[in-house]
Amino acid sequence: MFEARQTMDALTTSSADHRETGSGSGRSAEANAVPRTESQGHDQGSGQVDGQGDWSWFAPTQPRSTTEPHQRAADGEESDAPRRVPSQIRPVGARGSEQQRPDAAWDDPHVPGAQEEAPAASWFSPGSAAPTPGPGGPEGPAATVPRQPSAPTGEYQADDTPAPGQGSWFEPTSEATPQKPAAGTARPAPPDAPAAPPQAAASVFEEAQASPDAILIRRAMAAIEPVADKTTAYFYALLFLQHPELRDLFPAAMDAQRDRLFKALLTAAKLVDDADVLTEYLSHLGRGHRKYGTKPEHYPAVGECLIGALTRYASDVWSAQMEAAWVRAYTAISQIMIDAAAADERSAPAWWEAEIVSHERRTHDIAVITVRPDQPYPFLAGQYTSLETPWWPRVWRHYSFASAPRPDGLLSFHIKAVPAGWVSSALVNRARTGDVIKLGPPGGSMTVDHGTDNGLLCLGGGTGIAPIKAMVEDVAKHGRKRVMEVFYGARNDRDLYDLDTMQRLEQQHSWLSVRPVVSDGPTDGLAGQLPEMVRKYGPWHSYDAYLSGPPGMIRSGVDALVGIGMPYDRIRHDSLEELVAAGD
Ligand SMILES: NC(=O)C1=CN([C@@H]2O[C@H](COP(=O)(O)OP(=O)(O)OC[C@H]3O[C@@H](n4cnc5c(N)ncnc54)[C@H](O)[C@@H]3O)[C@@H](O)[C@H]2O)C=CC1
């Protein structure tokens, strides 16, 4: 079934290669598809054989020999050798009948991970998976709003469960595909926009625009959509059966977000035609994956399992051409991630260790935690990080910085223990000063635009007030008096756990107004939902809007803002795309 067709050149992390390959995403299919013979593939010293006994379809990554012409050229030696061509994936080896199939492994308790659920903090996107369209439709990452966390986590992490009405992630249209608009900016369709073209018409249009590889890739994705769960399960079974050494990169327990890695892979493949978006998405992803211990040599293993799962579940449409398209896409994906990680390695650690220096319980389920990183941690107010506790190794969760960068280098977070939330519960109930946690790199673009004098309208719901507070401090530090109107929402007065701090800031800064808003209980302050306040107060003509809080609040907040005529490019909130790009 799986004839030997192509093999994959070793992916590389060398800076020379990085310079030469750049993003790699803009390559044409033809450029990637440099035909190689199978014996050439063996030249890579991969240890791969003839495809008869070794079921691996991808040559493992090998360090390039320094005597290779391209390397010498990169090192500054004169060479008449051609510049390095982008890596090619060249699956070798037929998938013969003797190949190990995961079906059996799935039931085999000796296969690591075989009977477990898939990773909570996946390899490719521990906190989230595919970018999703925003409330207004297929506007891409900027239109993305965080979706409801799926049980049991509920911690501040993007979720990969499609929100109702947002369409399936596997839909082979641009529905779930990030596009160009500036990240972090909400771009829902205007309420009075003409009706979207019928799905079929849109698809026809996209097909007409798409490259041959993109068409093949989408066709495969359409085929697996009805069996997405099975495809995902098979993918992980393959991965852990064929590459048990990779099992350690995943958390011990695997929860409902089992398909993050798989989804991230498919998302990336889907973006194959959009070099800029793909590069940005994958570069973030590549950098974020350093903290998991992801190595270049892991990529071929993942690629072969991806193709393996697709081969099986898209069998009705699978062809040699389709396989080659996926191989090219995956090669480009891998190379961008590897290059980004290699570049990042030169300037930043894979993770930071941070000692808890203060643990302040504000309510029965909310704590404000302050940590001291072991080395300087550069970030911007409004950004978030990923965080791992000693109690749940390899389970990472996102939290926003609750303060602007401080001279003492300390970082603080607002943590709410959610039911069955492993990390959040541990941080609230178990963590003590002296405990050491790990931090991934910062991410997110919900940052203050200091290039404008526009006012800032901020909606902070629950612990979503954390980045808003950081932004207030940031505006204060910049010294320009910009009007800042903060609506701080909670379900009841008790949950306004940071109101004292916010009101203290209000007293210090004449340009700042803080209004508590309580939705579900009696209050002396404003009663109602945060989005209502958008309509009730204002006008907001000269304001930029920043939203942070539960996904439902963000969605209805964006709706309210758009409803009163705020331009899309003036609405900012953490986007799922950014969370994915942060490697989580
Ligand atoms: N801890 C952090 O660093 C950050 C947390 N977040 C997110 O903020 C959220 C905070 O959760 P909780 O404190 O439990 O908030 P919560 O559920 O208590 O709600 C906070 C406020 O949002 C409003 N709200 C909730 N759902 C709404 C909806 N569908 N429409 C309109 N308003 C709605 C509530 O009425 C309340 O005013 C979590 O989803 C968390 O992931 C966001 C950014 C940073």
Side-chain angles (χ1 to χ4, degrees):
M1 170 168 76
F2 207 84
E3 298 304 321
R5 285 185 272 269
Q6 303 170 343
T7 58
M8 180 171 73
D9 276 353
L11 299 164
T12 175
T13 60
S14 81
S15 55
D17 287 343
H18 181 66
R19 280 200 304 274
E20 291 207 5
T21 56
S23 74
S25 61
R27 301 167 202 142
S28 68
E30 290 74 19
N32 279 333
V34 178
R36 302 284 294 258
T37 65
E38 198 165 82
S39 61
Q40 281 174 305
H42 297 164
D43 292 342
Q44 298 299 319
S46 66
Q48 293 218 49
V49 285
D50 55 10
Q52 298 308 307
D54 182 340
W55 86 278
S56 293
W57 305 333
F58 295 83
T61 302
Q62 292 289 328
R64 286 174 177 276
S65 157
T66 51
T67 60
E68 285 182 14
H70 78 272
Q71 185 66 53
R72 282 187 275 114
D75 290 341
E77 288 183 37
E78 287 292 307
S79 168
D80 55 1
R83 283 164 62 87
R84 175 178 177 270
V85 294
S87 298
Q88 304 95 36
I89 292 182
R90 299 178 296 134
V92 295
R95 193 173 173 218
S97 54
E98 68 278 22
Q99 177 195 323
Q100 276 185 285
R101 301 281 294 260
D103 314 57
W106 196 239
D107 302 323
D108 180 357
H110 301 298
V111 176
Q115 292 184 320
E116 299 169 13
E117 288 183 357
S122 104
W123 213 45
F124 269 62
S125 67
S128 59
T132 59
E139 291 288 338
T144 301
V145 295
R147 290 169 294 173
Q148 284 295 350
S150 62
T153 59
E155 287 148 359
Y156 179 44
Q157 55 172 344
D159 166 55
D160 50 6
T161 307
Q166 287 198 315
S168 158
W169 189 88
F170 279 92
E171 274 173 15
T173 68
S174 66
E175 276 284 297
T177 305
Q179 308 272 324
K180 285 273 187 327
T185 305
R187 292 192 179 215
D192 53 354
Q199 191 67 51
S203 295
V204 168
F205 176 74
E206 283 166 14
E207 292 273 308
Q209 302 281 312
S211 69
D213 275 7
I215 291 170
L216 289 166
I217 283 166
R218 289 176 192 169
R219 205 165 286 159
M221 288 171 72
I224 60 170
E225 186 188 0
V227 285
D229 285 351
K230 282 184 182 168
T231 315
T232 305
Y234 191 80
F235 165 76
Y236 282 111
L238 272 180
L239 191 66
F240 295 151
L241 174 69
Q242 300 295 337
H243 304 280
E245 73 281 3
L246 295 186
R247 182 64 187 83
D248 282 348
L249 296 178
F250 295 84
M254 297 185 164
D255 68 9
Q257 298 183 26
R258 53 186 300 151
D259 45 3
R260 287 182 191 142
L261 162 58
F262 193 64
K263 282 184 174 178
L265 286 171
L266 296 184
T267 295
K270 205 170 166 182
L271 292 171
V272 70
D273 271 356
D274 196 333
D276 291 347
V277 175
L278 182 68
T279 302
E280 192 184 332
Y281 171 70
L282 292 171
S283 297
H284 280 281
L285 213 53
R287 285 192 288 272
H289 275 69
R290 292 183 56 217
K291 64 179 179 288
Y292 307 132
T294 308
K295 300 261 187 307
E297 58 266 29
H298 296 150
Y299 285 82
V302 171
E304 70 188 33
C305 295
L306 169 70
I307 302 278
L310 293 170
T311 308
R312 180 179 169 103
Y313 284 99
S315 59
D316 288 351
V317 295
W318 200 251
S319 65
Q321 290 83 353
M322 188 175 278
E323 181 188 312
W326 276 93
V327 165
R328 282 188 288 271
Y330 184 76
T331 302
I333 289 167
S334 309
Q335 194 67 61
I336 296 169
M337 290 183 69
I338 289 170
D339 287 348
D344 193 52
E345 207 173 308
R346 292 193 280 274
S347 59
W351 67 79
W352 286 252
E353 299 212 319
E355 181 185 346
I356 297 177
V357 295
S358 153
H359 187 285
E360 192 188 340
R361 216 37 193 264
R362 293 283 180 86
T363 70
H364 74 284
D365 58 359
I366 295 176
V368 173
I369 293 179
T370 303
V371 303
R372 180 186 293 117
D374 60 349
Q375 46 190 310
Y377 189 103
F379 72 99
L380 298 172
Q383 287 191 303
Y384 53 78
T385 186
S386 50
L387 179 162
E388 182 201 47
T389 68
W391 306 287
W392 296 105
R394 300 186 295 283
V395 180
W396 295 78
R397 294 289 185 256
H398 287 103
Y399 290 98
S400 295
F401 302 102
S403 297
R406 301 163 35 153
D408 61 10
L410 300 185
L411 311 169
S412 59
F413 304 100
H414 294 182
I415 318 282
K416 181 169 186 175
V418 297
W422 298 343
V423 173
S424 65
S425 294
L427 284 169
V428 171
N429 299 315
R430 189 166 174 177
R432 298 286 176 268
T433 55
D435 288 334
V436 175
I437 61 174
K438 279 186 187 171
L439 305 176
S445 63
M446 194 187 69
T447 52
V448 179
D449 178 0
H450 292 292
T452 168
D453 283 326
N454 284 351
L456 294 94
L457 164 62
C458 301
L459 306 186
T463 51
I465 197 68
I468 303 286
K469 172 180 166 270
M471 289 164 57
V472 170
E473 293 174 354
D474 190 34
V475 171
K477 263 199 339 203
H478 267 73
R480 289 228 312 273
K481 292 187 180 175
R482 291 174 60 185
V483 181
M484 198 162 179
E485 303 267 354
V486 176
F487 291 91
Y488 176 12
R491 299 205 181 257
N492 53 57
D493 277 340
R494 249 190 356 266
D495 285 347
L496 291 165
Y497 67 92
D498 211 29
L499 188 57
D500 286 354
T501 316
M502 295 304 294
Q503 288 180 333
R504 208 164 41 242
L505 286 167
E506 185 183 30
Q507 281 161 13
Q508 287 166 12
H509 305 297
S510 57
W511 42 265
L512 174 66
S513 146
V514 176
R515 297 188 181 92
V517 182
V518 166
S519 59
D520 298 4
T523 180
D524 294 335
L526 297 170
Q529 297 277 3
L530 282 172
E532 289 171 33
M533 304 302 139
V534 167
R535 298 186 196 99
K536 203 162 166 180
Y537 291 81
W540 307 113
H541 303 310
S542 55
Y543 283 75
D544 295 336
Y546 294 82
L547 294 84
S548 172
M553 183 220 100
I554 292 180
R555 278 193 209 101
S556 49
V558 168
D559 286 348
L561 288 162
V562 171
I564 59 159
M566 183 167 283
Y568 310 130
D569 62 359
R570 299 228 312 261
I571 305 172
R572 286 169 177 262
H573 54 82
D574 281 338
S575 78
L576 193 53
E577 163 64 9
E578 287 169 330
L579 297 173
V580 172
D584 288 343

